[in-house]
């Protein structure tokens, strides 16, 4: 990934402190929920345990709610020392999702399905993901659009979205279980330093898509590159992400799910909870802790502890979206 021109030392230090502060939210199996933008941590759990609903004063029966899973950055085709067999760890992630105590209604894949956007890599990923046994909704990562910079191969396979309604480079929305889902594409026409970019057409579509929704509708947005600025020196952010977030400001509960940085970072700003997912292929260094991002080699017995999947639960009665991370280890 290309680097952005060097920032002034004071800005770099400020950005690093901010990113490391956000890292403090992270933890293996940390369960958190958001009601009206207020984070509620429910403590640490082991992989595969079920998130408990937030406490309420109502005696009404609890709606079993909507549960879905997130897989990200499978990088099928990657075979370097950081993980000689990324397809095998994707299959382990799929098995982990199949073993969840609550069967997810669907899975979202937040990009970098493949490592080099080759047909054989997409084919292998498709075969592994079929074993999930539930629908899978996709957004592309930058590694999925390497064929021509616009993702022709990706769009041919995954670009229709639910009900064939994907637009542009593959963005779309759908409703499920009382939640409005928005799939955004920010890996086409990357900006300086590799920062993500949504573009005018997609932002105009997003404004129109959200216009008819009640402010009380829970909204889940998913994209590949984080919409918030994690670490601009490494391109970990979206150049026009703030414009998308401004369109979401009127909603009482917004959850933004991303991949790309191969580690858990969480942040809450007002009504918006941000969550980045682990990769199923290899970890990357924490922001500012290395000269550059990229595959990070761990001892073989530590690798699976740095890979994993995310599950999200929405309960209509209790209100929260509960996010649970579980490692492959």
């Amino acid at each position: 990934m290309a680097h952005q021109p060097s920032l002034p030392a004071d800005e770099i230090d400020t950005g690093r402190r901010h990113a490391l502060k956000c890292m403090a939210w992270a933890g293996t199996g940390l369960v958190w929920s958001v009601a009206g933008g207020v984070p509620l941590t429910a403590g640490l759990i082991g992989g595969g345990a079920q998130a408990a609903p937030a406490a309420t004063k109502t005696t009404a029966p609890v709606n079993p709610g909507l549960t879905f899973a997130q897989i990200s950055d499978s990088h099928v085709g990657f075979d370097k020392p950081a993980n000689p067999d990324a397809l095998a760890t994707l299959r382990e992630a799929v098995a982990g999702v199949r073993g969840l105590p609550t069967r997810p209604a669907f899975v979202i894949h937040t990009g970098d399905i493949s490592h080099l956007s080759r047909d054989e890599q997409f084919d292998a990923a498709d075969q592994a993901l079929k074993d999930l046994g539930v629908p899978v909704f996709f957004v592309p990562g930058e590694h999925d659009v390497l064929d021509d910079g616009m993702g022709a191969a990706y769009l041919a396979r995954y670009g229709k979205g639910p009900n064939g309604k994907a637009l542009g480079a593959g963005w779309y929305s759908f409703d499920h279980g009382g939640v409005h889902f928005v799939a955004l594409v920010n890996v086409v026409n990357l900006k300086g330093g590799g920062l993500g970019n949504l573009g005018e057409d997609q932002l105009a579509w997003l404004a129109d898509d959200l216009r008819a929704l009640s402010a009380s509708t829970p909204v889940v947005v998913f994209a590949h590159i984080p919409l918030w600025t994690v670490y601009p020196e490494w391109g970990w952010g979206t150049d026009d992400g703030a414009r998308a977030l401004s369109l979401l400001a009127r909603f009482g509960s917004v959850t933004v799910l991303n991949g790309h940085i191969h580690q858990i970072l969480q942040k809450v700003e007002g009504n918006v909870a941000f969550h980045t997912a682990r990769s199923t292929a290899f970890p990357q260094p924490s922001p500012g802790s290395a000269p550059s991002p990229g595959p990070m080699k761990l001892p073989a017995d530590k690798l699976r502890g740095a890979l994993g999947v995310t599950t999200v639960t929405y309960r209509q009665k209790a209100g929260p979206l509960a996010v649970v991370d579980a490692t492959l280890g």
Side-chain angles (χ1 to χ4, degrees), residues 67-297:
T67 296
F68 65 94
Q70 178 189 7
I71 290 177
S72 196
D73 296 272
S74 49
H75 285 272
V76 171
F78 182 86
D79 59 0
K80 301 300 187 291
N83 184 352
D85 193 347
L87 179 59
T89 49
L90 172 60
R91 288 172 174 154
E92 290 181 39
V94 168
V97 172
R98 286 178 58 89
L100 289 171
T102 299
R103 179 182 174 89
F106 54 85
V107 172
I108 62 172
H109 194 303
T110 45
D112 283 352
I113 306 158
S114 69
H115 193 60
L116 296 173
S117 64
R118 293 176 179 167
D119 284 340
E120 61 268 24
Q121 295 173 358
F122 286 130
D123 287 343
D126 288 348
Q127 288 300 313
L129 294 170
K130 281 181 181 177
D131 287 342
L132 288 165
V134 296
V136 184
F137 303 126
F138 298 90
V139 289
E142 76 278 9
H143 284 261
D144 298 321
V145 299
L146 293 175
D147 51 341
D148 62 357
M150 296 298 290
Y154 167 87
L155 286 171
R157 289 176 181 261
Y158 313 109
K160 294 181 180 180
N163 304 316
K165 294 183 179 179
L167 302 171
W171 58 80
Y172 57 90
S173 67
F174 63 96
D175 296 287
H176 197 292
V179 180
H180 187 68
F181 291 83
V182 181
L184 297 179
V185 178
N186 55 1
V187 297
V188 176
N189 298 321
L190 297 179
K191 296 301 182 181
L195 285 170
N197 179 58
L198 296 166
E200 295 298 332
D201 289 348
Q202 187 170 193
L203 287 167
W205 167 83
L206 178 61
D208 185 63
D209 178 73
L210 298 174
R211 188 170 291 118
L213 297 178
S214 164
S216 62
T217 304
V219 179
V220 173
V221 178
F222 59 103
H224 181 63
I225 298 175
L227 294 184
W228 56 293
T229 302
V230 175
Y231 200 65
E233 277 200 300
W234 290 357
W236 287 3
T238 298
D239 183 65
D240 50 3
R243 293 178 60 189
L245 295 173
S246 70
L247 297 171
L248 296 160
R250 69 183 181 88
F251 295 95
S253 176
V254 180
T255 305
V256 180
L257 304 176
N258 302 105
H260 188 57
I261 70 173
H262 295 216
Q263 61 199 273
I264 299 171
L265 289 183
Q266 301 183 49
K267 183 179 74 161
V268 175
E269 286 188 359
N271 63 327
V272 184
F274 300 87
H275 188 95
T276 66
R278 290 185 179 96
S279 167
T280 68
F282 54 83
Q284 293 197 92
S286 58
S289 66
S292 64
M296 186 170 67
K297 190 177 186 302

Side-chain angles (χ1 to χ4, degrees), residues 7-99:
L7 296 172
D10 58 339
E11 291 186 26
I12 293 173
D13 186 57
T14 299
R16 183 178 291 112
R17 290 198 308 269
H18 177 69
L20 294 177
K21 181 179 179 181
C22 292
M23 284 285 288
W25 289 81
T28 301
L30 178 65
V31 183
W32 56 274
S33 60
V34 177
V38 179
L40 304 170
T41 56
L44 294 173
I45 67 166
Q50 182 65 30
T56 64
K57 295 182 179 180
T58 179
T59 57
V62 175
N63 188 311
L66 165 67
T67 296
F68 65 94
Q70 178 189 7
I71 290 177
S72 196
D73 296 272
S74 49
H75 285 272
V76 171
F78 182 86
D79 59 0
K80 301 300 187 291
N83 184 352
D85 193 347
L87 179 59
T89 49
L90 172 60
R91 288 172 174 154
E92 290 181 39
V94 168
V97 172
R98 286 178 58 89

